[in-house]
Amino acid sequence: MPDIILTADKTVLINYRLTCLGGFVACIPRGSLSPFFTNYLERKIFLPAPANEKGEAEIANLLLRKVESFLLERGFEVIVCDSTKIRDFKAKVYGITTIDPFGIGPATSTMVGLSGGKEPFNRYYFEKLVRTIRKEHPKAKIIVGGPGVWQFDVFPEKQKQLGIDCIVQGEIEEVGEELFKNALTGDIPRKIVAPPAKKIAGIKKPTLWGMVQIGRGCDRGCQFCDPGIRHYAWRPIKDILEDAKVNAKSRYVNSITLLAEDELRYGNRPGEWTPCGKIVELVSEIKKLGKPITPSHANLSSAAASPEVVKEYSRVLGLTGDNFSAFQVGLETGSTRLMRMHMKGKALPWEPDRWQEVAKRGFEVLVKNHIFPLATLVAGLPGEKEEDVWETICLVKELKEYPSLIMPLFFVPLGKLKDSTSFVEKNLTDVYKELYVTCFEHTAYWGRKFTSWGGKSLPFIAQWVVHVGTMLAFDYFKTLKEKRKVSYLTWSFHLLKENSIFLASKILPSQKLKVA
């Protein structure tokens, strides 16, 4: 038996057949669904990770793989297993990575708030996993790390209630060896705040969605963003390629996903705002491995500042109107006042007062090169006034011509604004309802287009969420705005209608995407 088991709950070790956006299903309030849909999601979405004959996960979350690799290199006996295999092992130490343990991240808090506060899947499964380990292995040490551990600062009592021995906040590389040695032999501190890594750890075994980290941190300094207070660093191409090769060999990996806060600026030094183009060299090398490449995040101002880099990036990936891709981008707000207040560096190399112009230019550059923006907004930033929200509404309307999805999220106190007040459902005044209606009208329109243009490349559940889910959200917020009550019969009609349109789009010939 190994000394150390690494694992995560079902919403983190989620069905590898989904796209990386499938993880957002974990944010859905579990109690807001009918028993039929809850049962469906738990059977089809939250599947156990495939395992070998020893019970080791064949595919796992990137953070688990990094800790595993780090510990193996230092001689520890460690394996990664699915949460459903916990009872098959008896270890001295259990390491758990978490993304949103108590369901208060931006996406989850938005869905939970709109559902009346019902418990989301991520919270349900995280707490269930920890309680299972503590019950089955009362003497073992439990260590929890990952991007979601900041939530223990919000709910400090949870560590004791769940029986967690240590919370690790920050990067594991500089503290992991001593921490796990002590966990195996004696006492460990209740909390560790780790310093930036001198060298970012790689992986030895395949990751979910072929995820490969190419860099950490961000130097733009947005006050509401946690990555903005992390050390900014890029990994060498040779190290990234080694990780990509590990994933390319796996039958469970369909594409290589590059992870960074702003992929387009790969190789740039801090303060160099116009992408240097090294990302093109990187994707050219990874493409030789024979698997498709999936982008993750980019900044709109980086796209606006480097149309030629985006064009070359698209060309190397072989993107066309029939083979498009997407970047997750932060649109955040249309208010230049809030830009100056909370995110002066977001628009660089331009001034924050030009943010609307920069955002529109970023959308244009990406769309012309067959890369669609999957944009998020922040509703309820500290100091936001009604006129700021109207500016954001106007910006969203001006973006209507660009194929994209725009999702408004509730403000959650993070980064330098961690002591601020969260945005909650009761803050949804008429102007915010108008914002949500505008965003979901945009998203529902283009969601239908996406599934008819290129939906065959997406898992069926992802197509359904984009096509049907966004339209139902539009109906919901339109109802809120009009202060009407909708009967169960009316909602059933909406659901039947949208599902019928969705199924028809799967049968009828699709219209191809045309981008000027």
Side-chain angles (χ1 to χ4, degrees), residues 17-30:
R17 295 186 181 91
L18 299 174
T19 68
C20 56
L21 295 177
F24 285 105
V25 176
C27 307
I28 296 173
R30 187 171 180 267

PDB file of all heavy atoms in Angstrom, residues 17-30:
ATOM      1  N   ARG A  17     -14.418  12.796 -20.950  1.00  0.00           N
ATOM      2  CA  ARG A  17     -14.961  12.945 -22.307  1.00  0.00           C
ATOM      3  C   ARG A  17     -15.544  14.336 -22.547  1.00  0.00           C
ATOM      4  O   ARG A  17     -15.786  14.728 -23.678  1.00  0.00           O
ATOM      5  CB  ARG A  17     -16.041  11.888 -22.557  1.00  0.00           C
ATOM      6  CG  ARG A  17     -15.511  10.456 -22.564  1.00  0.00           C
ATOM      7  CD  ARG A  17     -16.613   9.487 -22.965  1.00  0.00           C
ATOM      8  NE  ARG A  17     -16.165   8.105 -22.954  1.00  0.00           N
ATOM      9  CZ  ARG A  17     -16.253   7.296 -21.912  1.00  0.00           C
ATOM     10  NH1 ARG A  17     -16.785   7.748 -20.778  1.00  0.00           N
ATOM     11  NH2 ARG A  17     -15.829   6.058 -21.979  1.00  0.00           N
ATOM     12  N   LEU A  18     -15.797  15.083 -21.490  1.00  0.00           N
ATOM     13  CA  LEU A  18     -16.290  16.448 -21.636  1.00  0.00           C
ATOM     14  C   LEU A  18     -15.170  17.372 -22.079  1.00  0.00           C
ATOM     15  O   LEU A  18     -13.994  17.040 -21.972  1.00  0.00           O
ATOM     16  CB  LEU A  18     -16.848  16.951 -20.303  1.00  0.00           C
ATOM     17  CG  LEU A  18     -18.022  16.186 -19.687  1.00  0.00           C
ATOM     18  CD1 LEU A  18     -18.332  16.751 -18.316  1.00  0.00           C
ATOM     19  CD2 LEU A  18     -19.240  16.270 -20.586  1.00  0.00           C
ATOM     20  N   THR A  19     -15.510  18.556 -22.562  1.00  0.00           N
ATOM     21  CA  THR A  19     -14.501  19.586 -22.748  1.00  0.00           C
ATOM     22  C   THR A  19     -14.176  20.178 -21.380  1.00  0.00           C
ATOM     23  O   THR A  19     -14.867  19.929 -20.392  1.00  0.00           O
ATOM     24  CB  THR A  19     -15.018  20.714 -23.661  1.00  0.00           C
ATOM     25  OG1 THR A  19     -16.063  21.424 -22.963  1.00  0.00           O
ATOM     26  CG2 THR A  19     -15.560  20.161 -24.965  1.00  0.00           C
ATOM     27  N   CYS A  20     -13.111  20.997 -21.291  1.00  0.00           N
ATOM     28  CA  CYS A  20     -12.747  21.590 -20.003  1.00  0.00           C
ATOM     29  C   CYS A  20     -13.860  22.506 -19.482  1.00  0.00           C
ATOM     30  O   CYS A  20     -13.964  22.725 -18.272  1.00  0.00           O
ATOM     31  CB  CYS A  20     -11.425  22.341 -20.101  1.00  0.00           C
ATOM     32  SG  CYS A  20     -11.358  23.625 -21.347  1.00  0.00           S
ATOM     33  N   LEU A  21     -14.711  23.012 -20.379  1.00  0.00           N
ATOM     34  CA  LEU A  21     -15.827  23.839 -19.935  1.00  0.00           C
ATOM     35  C   LEU A  21     -16.904  23.006 -19.238  1.00  0.00           C
ATOM     36  O   LEU A  21     -17.780  23.551 -18.564  1.00  0.00           O
ATOM     37  CB  LEU A  21     -16.432  24.585 -21.122  1.00  0.00           C
ATOM     38  CG  LEU A  21     -15.516  25.615 -21.798  1.00  0.00           C
ATOM     39  CD1 LEU A  21     -16.216  26.215 -23.010  1.00  0.00           C
ATOM     40  CD2 LEU A  21     -15.106  26.699 -20.831  1.00  0.00           C
ATOM     41  N   GLY A  22     -16.822  21.687 -19.394  1.00  0.00           N
ATOM     42  CA  GLY A  22     -17.786  20.819 -18.735  1.00  0.00           C
ATOM     43  C   GLY A  22     -17.725  20.915 -17.224  1.00  0.00           C
ATOM     44  O   GLY A  22     -18.690  20.583 -16.529  1.00  0.00           O
ATOM     45  N   GLY A  23     -16.582  21.384 -16.709  1.00  0.00           N
ATOM     46  CA  GLY A  23     -16.455  21.533 -15.272  1.00  0.00           C
ATOM     47  C   GLY A  23     -17.449  22.499 -14.666  1.00  0.00           C
ATOM     48  O   GLY A  23     -17.731  22.442 -13.457  1.00  0.00           O
ATOM     49  N   PHE A  24     -18.010  23.391 -15.487  1.00  0.00           N
ATOM     50  CA  PHE A  24     -18.981  24.349 -14.973  1.00  0.00           C
ATOM     51  C   PHE A  24     -20.283  23.664 -14.537  1.00  0.00           C
ATOM     52  O   PHE A  24     -21.079  24.253 -13.814  1.00  0.00           O
ATOM     53  CB  PHE A  24     -19.273  25.432 -16.011  1.00  0.00           C
ATOM     54  CG  PHE A  24     -18.162  26.436 -16.148  1.00  0.00           C
ATOM     55  CD1 PHE A  24     -17.303  26.415 -17.231  1.00  0.00           C
ATOM     56  CD2 PHE A  24     -17.971  27.405 -15.173  1.00  0.00           C
ATOM     57  CE1 PHE A  24     -16.271  27.334 -17.349  1.00  0.00           C
ATOM     58  CE2 PHE A  24     -16.949  28.334 -15.282  1.00  0.00           C
ATOM     59  CZ  PHE A  24     -16.089  28.298 -16.365  1.00  0.00           C
ATOM     60  N   VAL A  25     -20.481  22.422 -14.974  1.00  0.00           N
ATOM     61  CA  VAL A  25     -21.655  21.673 -14.516  1.00  0.00           C
ATOM     62  C   VAL A  25     -21.605  21.509 -12.999  1.00  0.00           C
ATOM     63  O   VAL A  25     -22.636  21.449 -12.331  1.00  0.00           O
ATOM     64  CB  VAL A  25     -21.716  20.300 -15.215  1.00  0.00           C
ATOM     65  CG1 VAL A  25     -22.875  19.462 -14.679  1.00  0.00           C
ATOM     66  CG2 VAL A  25     -21.845  20.471 -16.726  1.00  0.00           C
ATOM     67  N   ALA A  26     -20.379  21.449 -12.444  1.00  0.00           N
ATOM     68  CA  ALA A  26     -20.216  21.288 -10.993  1.00  0.00           C
ATOM     69  C   ALA A  26     -20.795  22.454 -10.210  1.00  0.00           C
ATOM     70  O   ALA A  26     -21.080  22.325  -9.018  1.00  0.00           O
ATOM     71  CB  ALA A  26     -18.735  21.138 -10.663  1.00  0.00           C
ATOM     72  N   CYS A  27     -20.980  23.607 -10.868  1.00  0.00           N
ATOM     73  CA  CYS A  27     -21.496  24.802 -10.197  1.00  0.00           C
ATOM     74  C   CYS A  27     -23.011  24.785 -10.037  1.00  0.00           C
ATOM     75  O   CYS A  27     -23.567  25.613  -9.316  1.00  0.00           O
ATOM     76  CB  CYS A  27     -21.093  26.059 -10.986  1.00  0.00           C
ATOM     77  SG  CYS A  27     -19.328  26.190 -11.338  1.00  0.00           S
ATOM     78  N   ILE A  28     -23.678  23.862 -10.717  1.00  0.00           N
ATOM     79  CA  ILE A  28     -25.137  23.822 -10.686  1.00  0.00           C
ATOM     80  C   ILE A  28     -25.629  23.458  -9.290  1.00  0.00           C
ATOM     81  O   ILE A  28     -25.112  22.518  -8.677  1.00  0.00           O
ATOM     82  CB  ILE A  28     -25.665  22.797 -11.706  1.00  0.00           C
ATOM     83  CG1 ILE A  28     -25.303  23.225 -13.136  1.00  0.00           C
ATOM     84  CG2 ILE A  28     -27.176  22.605 -11.575  1.00  0.00           C
ATOM     85  CD1 ILE A  28     -25.637  22.193 -14.189  1.00  0.00           C
ATOM     86  N   PRO A  29     -26.605  24.177  -8.754  1.00  0.00           N
ATOM     87  CA  PRO A  29     -27.181  23.808  -7.458  1.00  0.00           C
ATOM     88  C   PRO A  29     -27.878  22.451  -7.553  1.00  0.00           C
ATOM     89  O   PRO A  29     -28.854  22.289  -8.284  1.00  0.00           O
ATOM     90  CB  PRO A  29     -28.183  24.932  -7.184  1.00  0.00           C
ATOM     91  CG  PRO A  29     -27.714  26.070  -8.026  1.00  0.00           C
ATOM     92  CD  PRO A  29     -27.132  25.451  -9.253  1.00  0.00           C
ATOM     93  N   ARG A  30     -27.363  21.490  -6.818  1.00  0.00           N
ATOM     94  CA  ARG A  30     -27.872  20.108  -6.881  1.00  0.00           C
ATOM     95  C   ARG A  30     -29.351  20.038  -6.497  1.00  0.00           C
ATOM     96  O   ARG A  30     -30.128  19.307  -7.100  1.00  0.00           O
ATOM     97  CB  ARG A  30     -27.028  19.247  -5.950  1.00  0.00           C
ATOM     98  CG  ARG A  30     -27.304  17.753  -6.010  1.00  0.00           C
ATOM     99  CD  ARG A  30     -26.249  17.008  -5.203  1.00  0.00           C
ATOM    100  NE  ARG A  30     -26.488  15.568  -5.248  1.00  0.00           N
ATOM    101  CZ  ARG A  30     -27.197  14.903  -4.352  1.00  0.00           C
ATOM    102  NH1 ARG A  30     -27.759  15.556  -3.346  1.00  0.00           N
ATOM    103  NH2 ARG A  30     -27.369  13.593  -4.458  1.00  0.00           N
TER     104      ARG A  30
END
